[in-house]
Amino acid sequence: MIFKKIATVASALVLSAGMANCLPVEKNANASGDYNYAEALQKSMFFYEVQQAGKLPEWNMVSWRADSMLTDVVQGGWFDAGDHFKFALTNAYTANMLAWGLIEYKDAVKKAGLYDLYTKNLQWGLDYVMACDEGDKVIGTIGHPKMDHVWWGSAELYERKMKLQYDTDERPYDEITCTTTIADMASALASGYIVFKEDNPELAEQYLEHAKSLFELADKTRSNDDQGVQKEYYNTKQSGSDADFMDELFLAANWLYKATGEQSYLDKAEKEYLPNLGRESQSTEYKYTWGYCWDDT
């Protein structure tokens, strides 16, 4: 706790003085331009720490945050947007993107002095995703549908407010079998295995074990009908087509192939999923309704 207090004071000073001058990043890390990408990355990590739920780790540097949501069925993870829902879908997608970024730019992150901080934030998200795996289903959403999206107080006061209003401080949750969500979870944990297999092989093996079982569940289910509360905020079945989860299965199969080298995953990606990805109307071009995002991978 002493370290935490020192860290929070330091955080406030850093914010007022400019983060790049106080923490271990390399100034002008991009020699080809004037932009300090190391500072941008550092502030991105700070953003993820702002969104942390549960018992905060000692390395959290956000001075105005404290422990919250300690009664959640699965602690940890990141809050969604400006409210206090926790979605397995968006936690998984975010963790997958963080892992992918580190796989592509590991040397640059290390050069910026941010590798340890980056992996800590990544593990925070991956551990939550793994904990949401229940075998034949997953914890989809944690949060109160009537409160989370309309009450804009702090996370630290949430449980007190809920106790007063609903006579309980345990937030409701749902268990779902949505293929898109589960496949995204598999992608996140498979990419997490690649990141941590050298630094923390025991943890990496846990990620890979869950990634494999989640992929099997997603591939067997092949339906986005069972979304739970998530549907109101991140509807993965907007097209009404059976192909609306094929891109996530395709993504997961690719990541598992990269993680394991097993040909069966690549075969599924090429023979089962790729031919069923959406196409533009009267065209053979793949359809991209959005840029790369949680529902278009």
Side-chain angles (χ1 to χ4, degrees), residues 162-199:
M162 191 171 160
K163 182 73 172 177
L164 290 171
Q165 192 160 343
Y166 297 103
D167 198 32
T168 180
D169 57 2
E170 295 184 14
R171 300 204 294 169
Y173 65 93
D174 55 28
E175 299 163 316
I176 63 174
T177 58
C178 173
T179 294
T180 287
T181 299
I182 296 171
D184 271 347
M185 293 169 71
S187 295
L189 292 167
S191 59
Y193 166 80
I194 296 172
V195 169
F196 287 99
K197 64 181 178 179
E198 294 181 2
D199 295 343

Side-chain angles (χ1 to χ4, degrees), residues 123 126-127 129-131 133 185-186 189-190 192-193 196-197 200-214:
Q123 184 181 342
L126 289 172
D127 285 354
V129 172
M130 181 169 63
D133 180 11
M185 293 169 71
L189 292 167
Y193 166 80
F196 287 99
K197 64 181 178 179
N200 193 337
E202 183 177 348
L203 177 66
E205 286 297 332
Q206 292 180 46
Y207 288 161
L208 185 58
E209 180 182 349
H210 281 268
K212 288 179 176 180
S213 63
L214 285 164

Side-chain angles (χ1 to χ4, degrees), residues 143-163:
H144 200 294
K146 293 182 179 179
M147 179 173 168
D148 275 72
H149 211 56
V150 296
W151 186 72
W152 294 84
S154 70
E156 292 77 12
L157 297 178
Y158 181 101
E159 289 168 300
R160 194 180 308 171
K161 171 71 173 178
M162 191 171 160
K163 182 73 172 177

